[in-house]
Amino acid sequence: MVELKTDTELKAMREAGRVVAHALAAARDAARVGVSPRELDEAARAVLDAAGARSPFLGYRPSFAPTPFPAVICVSVNDAIVHGIPGDQRLRDGDLVSVDCGAELDGWTGDAAVSFVVGTPRPGDSELIEATRRALDAGIAAARAGNRMGDVSHAIDTVARAARCGMPRDFGGHGIGRRMHEDPPVPNRGRPGRGFPLRPGLTLAIEPMLMAGGRDGYRTDGDGWTLRTTDGSRAAHFEHTVAVTEEGPRVLTLP
């Protein structure tokens, strides 16, 4: 079931989204050579706690997962695409880090992700990150009333393919609101003019995940959560929670 949100409900989601943005900023600020992903999780957790928000990630267990997720953020490093569990292995110079974070505040949810390099980027990293950011921007620009979901998906895919990047099959964005994952799904590839109609009040988590090697294959780590590129190439991930409005797309997960 797809729930269209009122202006009052979008304002509540905006507050949850603001917490997400601040938590992501705290995690990014904490990310330095020699710091562990677990310490990034602790920085984000402190922001959620201070805001009186809860994490929809912590304890989340979808059907594919062998165990509940043990942290408030996902930290995916280098060839990890998404769903990385924050651990104690120290970040090194040149690591490409993707951080995904959600927050639930007063019954409403926000979800966003960002990618960056710790220290000195390796060849191609900056281009991969920029292409992923452009793919997100293109998807957001297409999230307009009167368009269809295929327009959002096609916009993302066009940028990814132009950059000669792969995207993991079976994974994309989703509806969001009272829960982190709601209908409708938001694929990262599709045909323009097809799919679910976009109407004012629809809220979507749009999240391209690009892989530098150009292939779409991925594998799942032994932890049952972390997705990695099959060819060992690096990956980047950007995400925003976006509302479709009469005035155009409204990003809800900005600071």
Side-chain angles (χ1 to χ4, degrees):
M1 178 180 175
V2 175
E3 179 185 15
L4 301 179
K5 283 73 174 181
T6 66
D7 285 342
T8 299
E9 291 169 340
L10 290 182
K11 289 178 182 177
M13 287 188 67
R14 175 71 180 99
E15 292 309 307
R18 203 184 310 273
V19 174
V20 172
H22 291 160
L24 282 175
R28 182 168 185 169
D29 288 346
R32 299 182 301 276
V33 174
V35 170
S36 71
R38 193 183 304 276
E39 291 173 275
L40 273 57
D41 183 73
E42 292 169 355
R45 191 183 301 247
V47 172
L48 297 184
D49 290 346
R54 66 171 293 274
S55 169
F57 289 18
L58 184 63
Y60 179 60
R61 187 179 182 182
S63 58
F64 66 79
T67 58
F69 196 76
V72 303
I73 60 174
C74 301
V75 183
S76 306
V77 181
N78 296 334
D79 65 331
I81 308 164
V82 286
H83 302 164
I85 296 175
D88 293 319
Q89 184 172 352
R90 303 290 171 177
L91 296 174
R92 297 172 297 179
D93 183 56
D95 278 348
L96 197 167
V97 180
S98 297
V99 180
D100 191 356
C101 180
E104 182 183 300
L105 182 68
D106 297 329
W108 296 97
T109 307
D111 188 7
V114 63
S115 291
F116 53 89
V117 173
V118 174
T120 306
R122 294 186 182 180
D125 283 352
S126 297
E127 292 80 2
L128 173 64
I129 289 171
E130 182 56 30
T132 312
R133 195 196 313 271
R134 288 200 312 271
L136 174 60
D137 289 344
I140 292 172
R144 296 182 173 275
N147 278 356
R148 289 182 174 269
M149 193 65 73
D151 296 304
V152 175
S153 305
H154 181 70
I156 293 169
D157 190 39
T158 297
V159 174
R161 298 310 174 192
R164 298 184 178 180
C165 291
M167 290 190 291
R169 297 183 298 270
D170 311 318
F171 284 87
H174 47 89
I176 186 171
R178 298 181 190 274
R179 294 176 291 108
M180 179 169 60
H181 290 140
E182 297 183 349
D183 288 330
V186 186
N188 283 333
R189 54 174 57 85
R191 298 176 63 183
R194 302 292 183 91
F196 191 86
L198 307 185
R199 292 174 288 174
L202 182 66
T203 46
L204 307 171
I206 301 174
E207 51 176 325
M209 312 155 199
L210 271 59
M211 304 185 292
R215 299 179 181 178
D216 296 336
Y218 64 88
R219 62 179 177 85
T220 304
D221 262 4
D223 61 21
W225 277 99
T226 309
L227 303 187
R228 294 189 184 275
T229 61
T230 54
D231 59 5
S233 65
R234 294 190 166 203
H237 176 205
F238 279 89
E239 177 182 16
H240 270 308
T241 297
V242 180
V244 178
T245 76
E246 294 282 7
E247 295 76 31
R250 184 188 306 169
V251 178
L252 303 179
T253 40
L254 292 173

